[in-house]
């Protein structure tokens, strides 16, 4: 899946660089389960990392990003987020995938893994000169440091890291659907949030509440936002069927979006994927 960093790249990883932010920066009170159960037995891959935004921030100034997730500075994300380059972002279908990241090549590195979520996209420049690159929030980058050495690590600039894909586990939360602003009887756009396990999606479908209705696939609009442009007035309540990208698992949230939905509102489902890959 990955190629090791070259010797010359490993040398450059120790040099502090002044870099521009390459990321596209366009509420629940539960915490994500950052368990260390996955620290051993993983196939760790080599990658590189930088950081952007405020030193202890979530990355984008608007606390969102190229996936469309809202308020990533708040639980359950808690600013432990990152942009991913092409191999990680996957045209937006990598949104919501979870990784453990760690560093060992700097005196401030703890060597202990942090669990993060992909919430944004990293383009061009520093993001395209390695097979796998994470442009992390300042909080995420600092989380790889020995306690008290966060600023020292952030000052190191570009860093060689190890990373591994792990299942997402939003403890106490079910999958949620944010109906996006602008949705109306002829147009429905939804953001899918807090999916356990794979975290990523390859297909989102809706089922109207009309006799003989069949599942209708939505188009990926951008990031984790999916849309349906209809030739007729859509009739709710709507059920939503999700298919994950990594393992092809499916999940159905029945009648999760009411007929009288309000745009810019989150609707919690009663279902959740298993927190395994």
């Amino acid at each position: 899946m990955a190629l090791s960093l070259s010797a010359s790249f490993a040398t450059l990883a120790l040099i502090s660089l002044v870099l521009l932010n390459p990321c596209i920066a366009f509420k629940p009170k539960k915490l994500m389960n950052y368990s260390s159960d996955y620290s051993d037995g993983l196939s760790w891959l080599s990658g590189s990392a930088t950081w952007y935004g405020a030193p202890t921030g979530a990355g984008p100034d608007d606390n969102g990003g190229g996936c469309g997730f809202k308020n990533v500075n708040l639980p359950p994300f808690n600013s432990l987020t990152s942009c991913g380059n092409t191999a990680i972002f996957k045209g937006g279908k990598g949104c919501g995938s979870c990784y453990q990241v760690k560093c060992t090549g700097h005196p401030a590195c703890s060597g202990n893994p942090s669990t993060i979520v992909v919430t944004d996209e990293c383009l061009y420049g520093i993001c395209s000169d390695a097979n796998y690159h994470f442009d992390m929030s300042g909080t995420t980058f600092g989380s790889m440091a020995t306690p008290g050495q966060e600023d020292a690590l952030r000052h190191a600039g570009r860093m060689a890291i190890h990373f591994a894909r792990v299942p997402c586990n939003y403890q106490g939360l079910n999958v949620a659907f944010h109906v996006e602003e602008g949705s109306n009887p002829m147009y429905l756009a939804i953001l899918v949030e807090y999916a356990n396990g794979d975290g990523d999606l390859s297909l989102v479908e809706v089922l109207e509440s009309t006799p003989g209705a069949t599942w209708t696939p939505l188009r990926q609009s951008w990031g984790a936002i999916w849309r349906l442009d209809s030739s007729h007035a859509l009739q709710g309540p709507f059920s939503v069927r999700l298919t994950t990208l990594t393992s092809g698992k499916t999940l159905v949230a029945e009648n999760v979006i009411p007929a009288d939905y309000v745009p810019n509102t989150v609707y919690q489902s009663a279902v959740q994927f298993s927190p395994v890959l």
Side-chain angles (χ1 to χ4, degrees):
M1 176 178 170
L3 296 175
S4 298
L5 294 173
S6 67
S8 59
F9 180 77
T11 300
L12 288 174
L14 300 177
I15 300 174
S16 176
L17 299 175
V18 179
L19 300 168
L20 296 175
N21 170 21
C23 286
I24 297 175
F26 280 145
K27 294 177 179 167
K29 299 300 181 183
K30 300 287 186 179
L31 297 180
M32 190 170 182
N33 180 21
Y34 296 123
S35 170
S36 61
D37 293 343
Y38 308 111
S39 298
D40 299 319
L42 291 176
S43 297
W44 292 94
L45 305 174
S46 296
S48 61
T50 47
W51 65 277
Y52 73 114
T56 57
D61 291 337
D62 62 359
N63 289 321
C67 290
F69 297 128
K70 323 296 183 186
N71 302 316
V72 296
N73 59 314
L74 301 176
F77 299 110
N78 297 305
S79 300
L80 288 169
T81 58
S82 181
C83 301
N85 71 350
T86 299
I88 297 166
F89 189 73
K90 302 174 183 176
K93 288 188 169 66
C95 287
S97 53
C98 296
Y99 292 85
Q100 283 196 348
V101 294
K102 62 182 179 180
C103 68
T104 58
H106 186 277
C109 291
S110 70
N112 296 320
S114 296
T115 303
I116 65 172
V117 186
V118 174
T119 59
D120 208 346
E121 182 176 16
C122 188
L123 291 173
Y124 316 121
I126 60 168
C127 305
S128 60
D129 61 3
N131 293 316
Y132 298 97
H133 184 85
F134 294 83
D135 196 28
M136 302 174 175
S137 69
T139 299
T140 294
F141 202 89
S143 72
M144 297 188 294
T146 299
Q149 295 297 307
E150 293 85 356
D151 284 338
L153 188 63
R154 283 188 284 262
H155 288 153
R158 190 183 185 94
M159 182 70 58
I161 65 167
H162 299 290
F163 71 96
R165 182 74 182 273
V166 295
C168 300
N169 187 0
Y170 295 97
Q171 257 187 341
L173 291 176
N174 289 326
V175 177
F177 301 90
H178 184 279
V179 178
E180 295 293 295
E181 196 70 47
S183 292
N184 60 65
M186 307 294 290
Y187 166 78
L188 179 65
I190 58 176
L191 166 69
V192 184
E193 301 179 293
Y194 317 134
N196 277 351
D198 295 356
D200 53 28
L201 296 172
S202 64
L203 180 64
V204 177
E205 302 165 281
V206 297
L207 182 67
E208 297 179 68
S209 294
T210 56
T214 58
W215 289 102
T216 302
L218 276 65
R219 288 172 34 207
Q220 184 187 11
S221 184
W222 59 275
I225 296 174
W226 299 74
R227 63 182 289 172
L228 174 60
D229 297 282
S230 178
S231 59
H232 66 274
L234 298 167
Q235 296 186 38
F238 303 96
S239 297
V240 183
R241 182 164 67 187
L242 307 175
T243 303
T244 66
L245 177 67
T246 299
S247 57
K249 297 173 185 175
T250 59
L251 185 75
V252 175
E254 295 184 356
N255 299 324
V256 65
I257 301 175
D260 58 348
Y261 69 81
V262 178
N264 201 27
T265 301
V266 176
Y267 294 96
Q268 298 284 344
S269 77
V271 294
Q272 180 58 281
F273 288 101
S274 175
V276 296
L277 290 179

